[in-house]
Structure formats: C-alpha cells, structure tokens
Amino acid sequence: QYSKMNFVASVVILLGFVAQQVSCLSATQIRNQIEGYYNARSYLDAVTLATEGSYQALALQATQDALADNSLKNANNVKNYFVAACIHYSTNGVGGWMQDTDYCQWDGIKCYNELELDPFTSIEDLEVEQQKIVDISLREYGVAGTWPHETALLGDHLVILELRDNAYLNCFEYDWFIDMNTLQYLLIGGTAWDANGIPSQLGYLTELDQFHASDTNWSAGPIPFEAFEGLNKLTYIALDNNEYVVTSEEDALAPFARLPSLIRLYFENVRFQDENGNKVVPPLDFLTDLDSVIETWFDQTEFSGGIPNNLPASLRSLKLSYTGISGNLNALLNTQANLERAWLNHNSLSGPIPAAIATKHDRLVYLYLEGNDFNGQVPNAFCDLLVTNGGTLRDLGANENECGSGCCTCSDDACGNVVDVTDDAS
C-alpha cells in the first residue's frame, strides 16, 4: 500500500511538472498582463495602448502574435518582448529586430549573464534570468522618433541604456525613471532628449554609476540639487557643450559637490546664464568639495577668479584651457593633490612660475602653461622632471619667451592646444 501511494504521488507530481512545462499563455492572457502594467503605473497611458496604429498597440499585437500559445515562453518573456517591440515601433524600426521571438539575439540587446547569478539558482529561475534584458546599447544606430516610457518595465534588471549619437528621440517626461531601480549607465550624449535643464527625476536612479548627457537638449534650464541628491554611486558625469540657467554664481555647480563617489567630471564648453538671459560666470571654488574626484575637464567653460586653494588630494588631471581664469599659480602649492596632467593654457594667469611646483607635483606627465602672461622663465627644476632626464614629464608647454631654460618641449601654438573660441556653445 505504501508503494502504491508513493507511485500515485509520483505520477501526480510528474503530471503537474509536465503540465507546467507545456502550459501556454493565450493572446487574452498576454493582453491582460500588459494592460495590468498600464493600470498600475501613472506614467503609462492606457488610452494609447488601445489606440489603433500607436506604437503601444503595434507592440501589443506583435507580442501576442509571437508568444501566444508558445509553450516555451512565459510572463517574463512577454514583458521583455513587449518593451523591445515598443522601442522598435516608437523609433521607426531598429534594424534586424522583430525577425524572431528570441529578443536576446537582437542587435543591440544583451540578456542576463548566468555568471553573475547566484550559483545556487534553480534551473527554472536560471532560465528566467537568462531571458531578462540587462543591456540596450544602440549607439550610432540612427534611431529616431520617440523613446518609450515602457522601458521602465525592465527597471528591475536593466543595467545599461546606451543611446549616444543618434537622431532626435522625443522624450519630454521622466517620471518613468522612478522604476529604473537597477540602471547603472545612462548614456544619451549626442542624442536629443528634451528637458528644461537636468530633470529632477534623475535623482530616482540611485544605482547610477555613469551619466553622459553632452550635446543634448537636457539644456537651457537648471541643474537642480534634486537631480543629484542621493546618487551616491555616481562616478562619471559628462555634460559638455550644453547651456544652463542658474540662480547664482556660487550655486551653479554646487550640486556636484554632494556626490561622494564622483571620480570624473567633464564639463567643457558650457555656458551659464540667469533667468533673464544674462551671462553668469561662476568661480571654481566648488572643486575643493569634490573629495574623490580624479579627473576634471572644463576647457572653454568660463570661470571667474583663479585656481582655488585646497584642490582635492585625489585630483590627478585638471583641464582649464580657455576658461578665463586669472591670478597666480600659488594654489598649485597650497594643495595635497599631486597632479599628473594639467592644461592651464590660454588664460589670464600671471606672476612667476614657482619652481616648487616641480617638487610638489613630481608625477607630472603633461603641463601646458602657454598663452598666459607669466613673469620670467620656466625654472630649471622642471628640467629634472623631463622624461629625457629620467622623470615622468613628456610635454611642458609655455610661451616662447619663457622657455630660455631649455626645459620646454613646445611653445605657443606648436603645443597643439589652440582652439577656435569664436564658436558658441549654445
């Protein structure tokens, strides 16, 4: 009797397993699942889902056609396929997509790497995880149209969103960022998303590591504190060639001072203005609060005053070409930083070139000072730093009349740092 009971139980378990394996989602179940997403999220418009010809309706139909009554597909596949289909139809078609049901093989999409999973993950869970989209990389794909808010449905596993150097991608609202819980890379530079400055919703992306929004329409507005509040893991920011509206000179770049992990900040050829359109020229004082920064590039972004004292001890690379800074070089002595690369050329710096800089910054690889108004010659102490003398210094640039010591490796325009400053960043 015991054996019979065991046999019956085994058959029941086996039948249940087989039934689970061959269960299929009907077209109605797929529709209900997707409608549920819209009903639960205020940033998604359920009306558009029911509007014939909309990208949402086209994506829904495509998902039903591809996955309904397919025993190998589940609710996770429905969600991922639907989002990819939304991207396809809203951007006028990403090349090569929608040709088969395996979206993980579509160009520009990557799904979960099983090596990143817990080694004790079950086979069933592993199959689900392997079919979650973690990377959408469409750099220079020529996509245009509208970027879909439905991307947020991938928010519990999407890590990379790379859209740099594409055509116009209409996106005005960013409340969908609230569900992007795993996004670490948001790279949209050279692709025109729209916002009044940096949208405050950026602050929802608490896992963000790298943020690239140079040459975008995230411009002509403020850099709000809320946009960077709580982004404690952010290490990289690129916002070159934009324009921002600020309320005061002191607060123009203050939001970046709240980022404890920031390592690299690229802010070249940026303009500031007040609400009346008047030019604003902030000081560089905020630099002293970037405790973890290694590299900061500000070429052609205009600043008032000079190089601040107490540059961060972590700082290794500093670019301040054509920034309009004035004063002397004493700030390079009043710091714990040991610079390796410094572009200070084509400014209004004056006074002597202190020989002690060569001792203080004994790891210098590049130092460019040409285009300023220094007194006297480049000190002989810099000769000892040259690579030809066993040091680290490969390039030392200054005005030709300051190179009498023979330490310069280039002078004036021959250093190759001349740019056309007549171009307007806006």
Side-chain angles (χ1 to χ4, degrees):
Q1 183 177 3
Y2 178 77
S3 298
K4 289 182 179 179
M5 292 175 63
N6 276 345
F7 174 75
V8 171
S10 298
V11 170
V12 170
I13 292 172
L14 179 60
L15 290 174
F17 176 76
V18 171
Q20 182 181 12
Q21 295 301 104
V22 300
S23 63
C24 304
L25 289 170
S26 67
T28 299
Q29 288 174 313
I30 290 174
R31 173 179 286 277
N32 290 340
Q33 177 182 332
I34 292 172
E35 286 179 345
Y37 296 143
Y38 283 78
N39 294 333
R41 293 163 175 81
S42 60
Y43 54 78
L44 295 181
D45 184 359
V47 173
T48 59
L49 186 65
T51 301
E52 184 177 358
S54 69
Y55 77 78
Q56 296 92 337
L58 293 172
L60 171 58
Q61 185 62 58
T63 305
Q64 290 175 307
D65 293 343
L67 305 186
D69 302 322
N70 187 332
S71 62
L72 300 178
K73 304 302 179 182
N74 53 41
N76 173 68
N77 298 126
V78 168
K79 180 180 69 172
N80 283 262
Y81 188 99
F82 174 71
V83 172
C86 282
I87 295 171
H88 176 80
Y89 288 113
S90 68
T91 60
N92 302 317
V94 179
W97 287 24
M98 314 300 293
Q99 302 302 312
D100 56 62
T101 62
D102 189 2
Y103 50 81
C104 292
Q105 300 302 314
W106 295 355
D107 201 19
I109 285 182
K110 292 181 181 178
C111 291
Y112 231 103
N113 183 347
E114 63 183 85
L115 297 178
E116 299 175 355
L117 297 176
D118 188 312
F120 298 104
T121 302
S122 68
I123 296 298
E124 293 81 3
D125 289 342
L126 179 60
E127 291 176 350
V128 171
E129 294 297 325
Q130 286 177 324
Q131 297 172 53
K132 289 182 177 180
I133 297 173
V134 298
D135 181 348
I136 299 174
S137 292
L138 300 173
R139 185 173 187 177
E140 295 183 334
Y141 269 65
V143 293
T146 297
W147 189 258
H149 298 181
E150 286 79 7
T151 307
L153 298 178
L154 308 180
D156 61 347
H157 49 82
L158 186 66
V159 176
I160 300 172
L161 186 56
E162 160 67 287
L163 302 174
R164 282 179 290 179
D165 303 321
N166 282 292
Y168 185 80
L169 283 173
N170 177 2
C171 191
F172 294 98
E173 301 293 336
Y174 300 92
D175 287 343
W176 57 280
F177 280 3
I178 196 170
D179 284 335
M180 301 299 292
N181 301 318
T182 60
L183 194 67
Q184 296 179 28
Y185 301 87
L186 178 61
L187 311 172
I188 61 171
T191 298
W193 279 12
D194 293 274
N196 181 27
I198 305 296
S200 60
Q201 293 93 335
L202 185 72
Y204 291 146
L205 308 179
T206 55
E207 294 297 312
L208 201 61
D209 183 315
Q210 295 190 15
F211 172 49
H212 191 300
S214 300
D215 298 284
T216 70
N217 284 350
W218 279 20
S219 188
I223 304 176
F225 282 96
E226 297 85 354
F228 294 95
E229 192 75 39
L231 300 189
N232 296 329
K233 299 181 180 181
L234 189 59
T235 66
Y236 173 104
I237 297 175
L239 293 172
D240 304 325
N241 304 315
N242 290 321
E243 183 175 289
Y244 297 104
V245 177
V246 297
T247 55
S248 69
E249 296 176 355
E250 292 74 18
D251 290 340
L253 292 155
F256 301 138
R258 301 188 177 193
L259 300 171
S261 301
L262 186 62
I263 295 174
R264 292 178 173 83
L265 175 60
Y266 303 105
F267 211 77
E268 298 185 283
N269 198 31
V270 175
R271 301 290 182 267
F272 297 100
Q273 62 182 25
D274 63 22
E275 294 179 351
N276 297 317
N278 300 311
K279 183 171 73 171
V280 173
V281 183
L284 279 166
D285 295 343
F286 76 97
L287 266 180
T288 62
D289 294 322
L290 303 182
D291 294 335
S292 60
V293 74
I294 293 174
E295 185 165 80
T296 56
W297 291 7
F298 299 106
D299 286 1
Q300 300 182 72
T301 298
E302 190 173 358
F303 292 99
S304 62
I307 304 169
N309 291 315
N310 301 314
L311 291 172
S314 58
L315 188 61
R316 295 293 178 266
S317 178
L318 177 64
K319 290 192 77 174
L320 291 169
S321 304
Y322 292 95
T323 56
I325 55 173
S326 58
N328 55 44
L329 294 178
N330 290 343
L332 297 185
L333 302 176
N334 301 324
T335 176
Q336 295 183 26
N338 191 347
L339 293 175
E340 297 174 3
R341 297 169 175 82
W343 290 260
L344 306 177
N345 52 287
H346 297 93
N347 287 301
S348 298
L349 295 168
S350 58
I353 301 173
I357 291 177
T359 304
K360 180 71 176 178
H361 303 279
D362 58 0
R363 300 176 185 173
L364 276 170
V365 179
Y366 302 107
L367 176 61
Y368 297 104
L369 302 173
E370 72 274 10
N372 288 288
D373 190 25
F374 294 115
N375 301 329
Q377 305 290 303
V378 173
N380 290 330
F382 284 94
C383 292
D384 296 334
L385 281 182
L386 292 173
V387 170
T388 53
N389 292 326
T392 58
L393 190 58
R394 297 177 184 177
D395 276 352
L396 173 59
N399 293 336
E400 185 175 2
N401 64 339
E402 299 162 357
C403 292
S405 62
C407 296
C408 298
T409 61
C410 65
S411 62
D412 301 325
D413 294 354
C415 292
N417 294 317
V418 177
V419 299
D420 183 0
V421 294
T422 61
D423 291 342
D424 190 347
S426 62

